[in-house]
Amino acid sequence: MNLVTLADITAAAERIAGTAVRTPLVPCPWADRPLWIKPESLQPVGAFKIRGAYNAIARIDAATRARGVVAYSSGNHAQAVAYAAKVFGIPAWIVVPEDTPTVKVEATRAHGAEVVLSAVGQREAVAYEIVERENATLVPPFDDPGVIAGQGTIGLEIVADLPDVDLVLAPVSGGGLISGIAAAVKALRPEAQVWAVEPELAADTAESLARGERVSWSVADRNRTIADGLRSQPSELTFAHQQALVDGIVTVSEDEIRDAVAVLAHRARLIAEPSGAVATAAYLHHADRLPPGKTVTILSGGNLDPTTLADLLKA
């Protein structure tokens, strides 16, 4: 299987320049070893997904793109595709599960997309129905080389800003984010390690990597985690990237995720949704399992409603 290359990621960086924010590395002097946080919550849609979504849509030929795009997502990819479609001036249909946080649904609608609610576990089927009906193009949340390359621009920026980085921790679910980051980091700094972080309650990737083959967890099992953006499973494409490029994986508990949200708010002054806090949770609670050295954690998103944030900060 062909993996995304450094050339693919470099080309993506040129396409997304001026649309996606080049986020900084935020130093954390309060941490007990060298730590920087990459706050993708600062993107215009509040999450890293704008990188992959915009790159994928930019690669579609203009005539096809004009017919519109379709996406299925638990929220952040939905907003990213809606935002990118608005920039290109094309229609977008976004399918989200009916249990998607309201803040993400409203934000998607605010970008002008048509939001279609589906039953839990049925979002892909509904999306394909719309693709056929509207003759539009599907923009998958992770199972697409253009999406993976776009997410990989995070890795380019990390190595540019911290050339001697030793360890990058990134959340994993569908796997587009860590696949792209690992492809970039390993190409530019082979001695650095890239580790995945996953909720214990949705640890299908950890089990899959341990077995050497993809293992399926039920939707009901994966939906137990508070990290609503990490309830997908890797595709054949993203799993191939992980097997080839990812050095290790750590799982974190629900309490550890909640604690990381609070630490990021109080110590780093950064707002993270639970999905966006898992990498920092691994750093805070599982340092003994991780390689030493200069560490970057990816804060992948900060889209959560105020009530949930208040509850997490009180915990």
Side-chain angles (χ1 to χ4, degrees):
M1 180 173 293
N2 294 327
L3 304 186
V4 166
T5 67
L6 182 61
D8 296 327
I9 298 169
T10 302
E14 295 175 359
R15 291 189 192 99
I16 71 173
T19 298
V21 172
R22 192 192 189 288
T23 54
L25 288 184
V26 178
C28 301
W30 47 267
D32 57 9
R33 67 175 185 169
L35 173 67
W36 288 259
I37 296 171
K38 181 80 164 163
E40 288 295 294
S41 51
L42 301 181
Q43 293 294 347
V45 297
F48 74 95
K49 293 283 192 176
I50 185 60
R51 297 174 182 264
Y54 190 88
N55 185 54
I57 293 173
R59 294 169 76 235
I60 304 169
D61 71 85
T64 303
R65 187 169 59 218
R67 296 197 294 266
V69 291
V70 180
Y72 54 85
S73 168
S74 62
N76 286 334
H77 181 64
Q79 293 181 64
V81 172
Y83 184 92
K86 180 175 65 175
V87 172
F88 280 106
I90 60 175
W93 296 266
I94 313 295
V95 183
V96 301
E98 57 194 5
D99 62 349
T100 300
T102 302
V103 63
K104 295 182 179 181
V105 173
E106 292 177 348
T108 302
R109 286 198 178 109
H111 294 308
E114 180 178 337
V115 176
V116 181
L117 296 178
S118 74
V120 174
Q122 296 298 311
R123 63 184 188 177
E124 293 183 39
V126 174
Y128 281 108
E129 290 173 3
I130 298 171
V131 167
E132 186 167 345
R133 185 186 74 219
E134 302 293 343
N135 196 23
T137 302
L138 182 72
V139 182
F142 51 84
D143 188 28
D144 180 88
V147 170
I148 294 171
Q151 320 306 23
T153 59
I154 294 173
L156 292 183
E157 294 172 11
I158 289 172
V159 178
D161 291 348
L162 189 66
D164 56 348
V165 61
D166 296 304
L167 173 64
V168 178
L169 298 174
V172 66
S173 179
L177 175 63
I178 197 164
S179 294
I181 288 175
V185 170
K186 289 295 186 178
L188 294 169
R189 181 166 164 77
E191 58 268 49
Q193 293 202 24
V194 179
W195 281 52
V197 186
E198 188 173 42
E200 289 177 358
L201 295 184
D204 52 282
T205 298
E207 183 178 350
S208 297
L209 288 171
R211 292 194 182 190
E213 62 182 5
R214 286 189 296 156
V215 176
S216 181
W217 283 32
S218 71
V219 173
D221 280 347
R222 287 180 276 126
N223 281 3
R224 294 174 299 167
T225 179
I226 190 175
D228 62 274
L230 300 180
R231 294 171 177 170
S232 296
Q233 300 188 112
S235 67
E236 183 180 354
L237 178 61
T238 59
F239 190 62
H241 281 79
Q242 292 171 54
Q243 285 187 301
L245 301 169
V246 173
D247 297 286
I249 186 166
V250 174
T251 59
V252 291
S253 72
E254 299 297 287
D255 285 343
E256 289 166 351
I257 296 170
R258 291 183 174 93
D259 178 65
V261 171
V263 169
L264 285 165
H266 294 306
R267 304 299 300 273
R269 281 39 172 206
L270 293 169
I271 300 302
E273 61 189 277
S275 303
V278 297
T280 304
Y283 170 90
L284 293 172
H285 295 281
H286 298 281
D288 58 328
R289 296 174 55 191
L290 299 170
K294 295 181 177 179
T295 300
V296 173
T297 64
I298 309 300
L299 195 172
S300 55
N303 292 319
L304 73 173
D305 64 78
T307 300
T308 301
L309 176 60
D311 290 343
L312 289 168
L313 295 182
K314 287 188 295 185

